Amino acid sequence: MPLLFGFSGLLVCQFLGELLVKTTHLPVPGPVAGMVIMLVALMIIGRVPDSVRLASEGLLKYLTLLYVPAGVGVMVHFGLIGNNFAAIAATLVVSTIVTQLATLYCLAWMKRRNGQQFQQEEEA
C-alpha cells in the first residue's frame, strides 16, 4: 500500500505541473514543474515520506531504460544528424559554455549574498 501512495503522490505532482503549465503557458515541461511542486512540498514537510522514497527508488532502478528511445532515435535519424552535424556540434558547445557561465555567475552571486548575511550575523 505505501508504494501505491508514493506513486499517487508522484503522479499528482506531475498532474499539477501539467495543469500549471497549461493554464499559465509557462515555457517549461509539465513534469519539470511537477518536480518543482514536489520539491516545495517536501521542503515544507521537512522530510521525504517513506512511500515517496519507496516509489522513487523503484523508478530510479530502471532509469537507464529511458535512454533506449533516444538511442533508437539517433540510429533512425543518423543521416539527418550527419547532414546537420556542424550545427548540432556548435549548439552543444555554445549551450555548454552558456550553462557553465550561468552556473558560475549564480554561484558567485550566492556566495556574495551569503557572505553579506554571514557578516551581518557576526556583527549582531
Side-chain angles (χ1 to χ4, degrees):
M1 199 66 153
L3 187 62
L4 184 61
F5 287 134
F7 276 118
S8 296
L10 293 172
L11 289 174
V12 165
C13 286
Q14 182 175 356
F15 173 73
L16 291 175
E18 291 283 351
L19 192 64
L20 178 71
V21 167
K22 296 292 183 198
T23 56
T24 60
H25 304 291
L26 290 173
V28 177
V32 173
M35 284 193 298
V36 171
I37 292 170
M38 175 67 83
L39 174 66
V40 170
L42 293 177
M43 288 174 68
I44 290 170
I45 294 171
R47 64 179 186 83
V48 179
D50 292 334
S51 59
V52 173
R53 184 183 314 276
L54 183 65
S56 300
E57 288 174 354
L59 287 172
L60 287 175
K61 284 184 198 174
Y62 302 105
L63 186 64
T64 55
L65 290 177
L66 297 175
Y67 292 108
V68 172
V72 170
V74 167
M75 292 169 59
V76 168
H77 298 291
F78 194 74
L80 183 63
I81 293 170
N83 292 339
N84 297 306
F85 183 76
I88 293 170
T91 303
L92 286 172
V93 169
V94 169
S95 66
T96 300
I97 291 169
V98 168
T99 301
Q100 289 178 346
L101 288 174
T103 304
L104 172 72
Y105 286 119
C106 285
L107 179 63
W109 175 76
M110 289 176 70
K111 284 181 77 171
R112 280 194 311 271
R113 182 175 166 235
N114 287 338
Q116 290 172 353
Q117 279 182 338
F118 291 135
Q119 288 173 358
Q120 290 173 356
E121 289 174 7
E122 290 174 1
E123 293 171 2

